Amino acid sequence: MKKEQQEIIDKLGIEKLNEMQIETQKAIKSHNEVVLLSPTGSGKTLAFLLPLIANLDPESEEIQALILVPSRELAIQIEQVTREMGSGYKINAVYGGRSGSKDKMELKHTPAILIGTPGRVADHIRRENISTEFIKTLVLDEFDKSLETGFEKEMMEIVEALPFLDKKILTSATQKAQIPAFLKLQEPKEINFLDEVQSKLKLQLVNSPTKNKLEALANLIAHVGNANGIIFCNLKDTIGSVSTFLERKRINHECFFGGMEQIDRERALIKFRNGSSKILVATDLAARGIDVPALDYIIHYQLPPREDEFTHRNGRTARMQSEGTAYVLRGKDESLPQFIQGIKELKLESIEQEIDQEEWTTLFVSGGRKDKISKGDIAGLFFKQGKLERDELGNIELKQDCAFVAVPTAKAHKLIASLNNTKLKTKKVRISELK
């Protein structure tokens, strides 16, 4: 049975759609080709998912919509949002970094919506693990990023394998995105909200008295206090040295970069999202296409070589009318690129870093959707047996085979002792702290 849109919005806990989402829905309903340009964090995923789901045939047992994304993180994020919508349709995400046989097993029960990275989707088409005959809608989310990361050949191959497309929807967070010729768009309807967002971003320059910027970074972190933000580096080796320094200073943080195992990347984001860690040290992989809360600040520990990457990083804060600050940390004798001249300097007094224990700790629960466990079941266990008050249960992220729960740090060990090896639905679950 099809769910009404209002039911889905209510289930997501959204009061009302924003102007961009309303306009995008109208465009997708009345046009077969839509290009949506809107900033990071503005709600593009929901903007295209709502009309896409409304257009699905509940009688069909085939893949009807394909969503191509540039990264695993974005595939996982869209899959999560789609599941939380509770549409009643099967959804699967396929991406590199996990077993192809696991994909194949999940695809045996055909999803209505397939989400994936171009490389993995193209591979499944070649192996004939999926049928493309009934795919009527194609979404290229952050399409320019997929092209930048070298997926053009696979994207061409996929588009050629979709003979019966009715709708093509493209999204991007950048004005300069060039639409590739192989998509053969005729007269696309463009929805452009990039110029309309009145950003409340503050840009500030922090000068380090030395070439080594680590002590200046620690002072800046002390200055921003208990706020949440991303420290951007260009190289994973730099992330390693920054992380080692922060560990020495006992500053809690998570790392996020391309060379990490997928499971470690996912868990770093989970802890960052639910407040177990307030700082993410990351490469430009975190500049867009990942699901993180609105940030209070970002720090350019190293500046990106290109202006558009600088813009995407800054787009992680001051999102959708909220305020935020982007700090540029400059070492002694370091010159600034042309695109950030005239930035206002912030002179910082030296502050002693206070070591605060994070308010939230993330617990791992060894049961998930495939065990017929819901978020409500988990909440019930923590309220009844764990004796938590309503405001003491933080974010719950439910996966196929496990779940992650944010709880007050002061009560974490007591909760583990009382809830570990408890029966949840029909499964005895292990509960432990996510390290």
Side-chain angles (χ1 to χ4, degrees):
M1 187 184 80
K2 274 198 175 187
K3 273 204 177 172
E4 292 301 316
Q5 179 172 296
Q6 194 54 51
E7 269 187 272
I8 291 172
I9 293 170
D10 291 344
K11 188 171 171 62
L12 291 172
I14 294 167
E15 201 173 310
K16 61 177 184 176
L17 298 177
N18 63 37
E19 190 188 338
M20 176 274 290
Q21 291 166 331
I22 292 166
E23 200 173 316
T24 301
Q25 277 203 85
K26 286 178 187 169
I28 291 172
K29 281 175 187 170
S30 54
H31 296 80
N32 290 332
E33 299 172 340
V34 175
V35 178
L36 169 60
L37 305 176
S38 192
T40 296
S42 56
K44 292 193 291 291
T45 302
L46 196 58
F48 66 72
L49 276 178
L50 283 167
L52 182 154
I53 287 169
N55 208 32
L56 295 176
D57 176 4
E59 301 301 316
S60 173
E61 294 182 356
E62 302 290 341
I63 300 171
Q64 299 178 60
L66 174 63
I67 303 171
L68 289 182
V69 296
S71 68
R72 306 164 188 176
E73 282 70 32
L74 190 49
I76 292 163
Q77 176 192 329
I78 295 173
E79 181 185 34
Q80 185 94 350
V81 171
T82 316
R83 288 192 197 282
E84 284 173 4
M85 290 167 83
S87 66
Y89 291 101
K90 186 171 189 281
I91 305 108
N92 277 118
V94 296
Y95 43 86
R98 72 172 204 160
S99 156
S101 58
K102 189 177 177 184
D103 282 354
K104 195 174 174 183
M105 196 167 68
E106 287 186 2
L107 291 169
K108 275 186 179 172
H109 179 201
T110 311
I113 303 169
L114 182 66
I115 306 156
T117 48
R120 183 55 67 99
V121 171
D123 186 56
H124 280 304
I125 291 172
R126 282 183 220 118
R127 294 172 188 271
E128 298 183 351
N129 292 337
I130 57 175
S131 164
T132 59
E133 195 180 338
F134 299 90
I135 296 174
K136 300 285 180 69
T137 302
L138 172 66
V139 179
L140 300 178
D141 197 15
E142 302 278 12
F143 73 92
D144 55 309
K145 192 70 180 170
S146 288
L147 292 167
E148 271 174 36
T149 45
F151 280 131
E152 184 171 359
K153 183 169 161 282
E154 289 85 352
M155 288 165 81
M156 286 175 72
E157 187 182 338
I158 292 163
V159 171
E160 281 171 19
L162 304 174
F164 303 112
L165 276 183
D166 284 342
K167 282 193 188 290
K168 295 172 187 172
I169 302 160
L170 284 70
T171 85
S172 176
T174 181
Q175 195 79 259
K176 296 173 186 173
Q178 291 290 314
I179 296 169
F182 65 78
L183 286 170
K184 297 175 183 163
L185 297 192
Q186 303 299 312
E187 292 181 4
K189 170 72 175 171
E190 185 179 285
I191 311 284
N192 191 340
F193 272 75
L194 290 173
D195 297 332
E196 300 205 12
V197 173
Q198 296 277 307
S199 178
K200 294 185 178 179
L201 177 74
K202 253 179 23 186
L203 263 177
Q204 297 201 303
L205 176 68
V206 175
N207 284 314
S208 167
T210 58
K211 284 188 177 180
N212 183 317
K213 299 187 272 192
L214 289 170
E215 287 298 340
L217 174 66
N219 195 36
L220 179 52
I221 291 170
H223 171 79
V224 297
N226 195 33
N228 64 331
I230 298 178
I231 299 168
F232 279 106
C233 304
N234 294 344
L235 307 165
K236 67 177 183 182
D237 286 354
T238 312
I239 288 178
S241 59
V242 169
S243 179
T244 302
F245 172 78
L246 294 180
E247 278 171 14
R248 238 184 13 250
K249 290 273 186 181
R250 293 171 55 215
I251 298 171
N252 188 22
H253 66 283
E254 295 297 323
C255 296
F256 184 82
F257 55 90
M260 291 170 69
E261 290 291 327
Q262 179 62 23
I263 192 166
D264 294 330
R265 271 159 56 174
E266 279 182 50
R267 291 182 175 191
L269 288 182
I270 286 164
K271 288 165 86 171
F272 186 58
R273 271 197 291 268
N274 68 25
S276 293
S277 183
K278 296 278 191 181
I279 297 171
L280 193 68
V281 186
T283 58
D284 282 328
L285 188 64
R288 54 183 169 147
I290 61 167
D291 180 23
V292 293
L295 305 179
D296 301 301
Y297 69 91
I298 64 113
I299 297 172
H300 298 277
Y301 183 78
Q302 290 176 308
L303 282 165
R306 301 201 326 258
E307 185 176 3
D308 60 340
E309 287 304 337
F310 181 72
T311 304
H312 288 311
R313 287 180 180 187
N314 293 343
R316 279 284 160 210
T317 186
R319 278 154 62 168
M320 294 311 283
Q321 310 302 318
S322 63
E323 294 182 355
T325 308
Y327 298 99
V328 173
L329 193 54
R330 179 169 65 176
K332 191 181 179 187
D333 303 327
E334 185 182 352
S335 58
L336 294 178
Q338 198 63 41
F339 57 81
I340 48 170
Q341 297 300 319
I343 183 172
K344 191 177 176 185
E345 185 183 355
L346 174 68
K347 293 190 184 296
L348 294 180
E349 298 296 320
S350 187
I351 308 172
E352 193 59 42
Q353 177 74 36
E354 287 184 26
I355 309 301
D356 287 328
Q357 188 180 36
E358 296 298 355
E359 185 185 347
W360 298 99
T361 291
T362 305
L363 299 187
F364 168 84
V365 180
S366 68
R369 281 194 198 90
K370 70 176 177 54
D371 307 299
K372 310 289 187 222
I373 292 169
S374 70
K375 285 187 180 182
D377 297 325
I378 293 168
L381 177 69
F382 278 78
F383 290 143
K384 287 173 196 164
Q385 200 168 316
K387 295 185 170 49
L388 282 186
E389 298 297 327
R390 294 274 156 185
D391 61 348
E392 290 182 319
L393 186 64
N395 194 34
I396 299 172
E397 288 204 24
L398 187 63
K399 307 289 185 186
Q400 278 296 94
D401 53 3
C402 64
F404 301 93
V405 186
V407 299
T409 298
K411 295 195 173 183
H413 290 298
K414 192 177 174 185
L415 284 165
I416 292 167
S418 65
L419 300 180
N420 192 28
N421 290 322
T422 304
K423 217 169 189 189
L424 196 51
K425 280 286 179 65
T426 57
K427 183 181 171 75
K428 190 184 263 194
V429 295
R430 286 178 292 104
I431 294 178
S432 56
E433 185 179 339
L434 182 64
K435 295 294 188 184

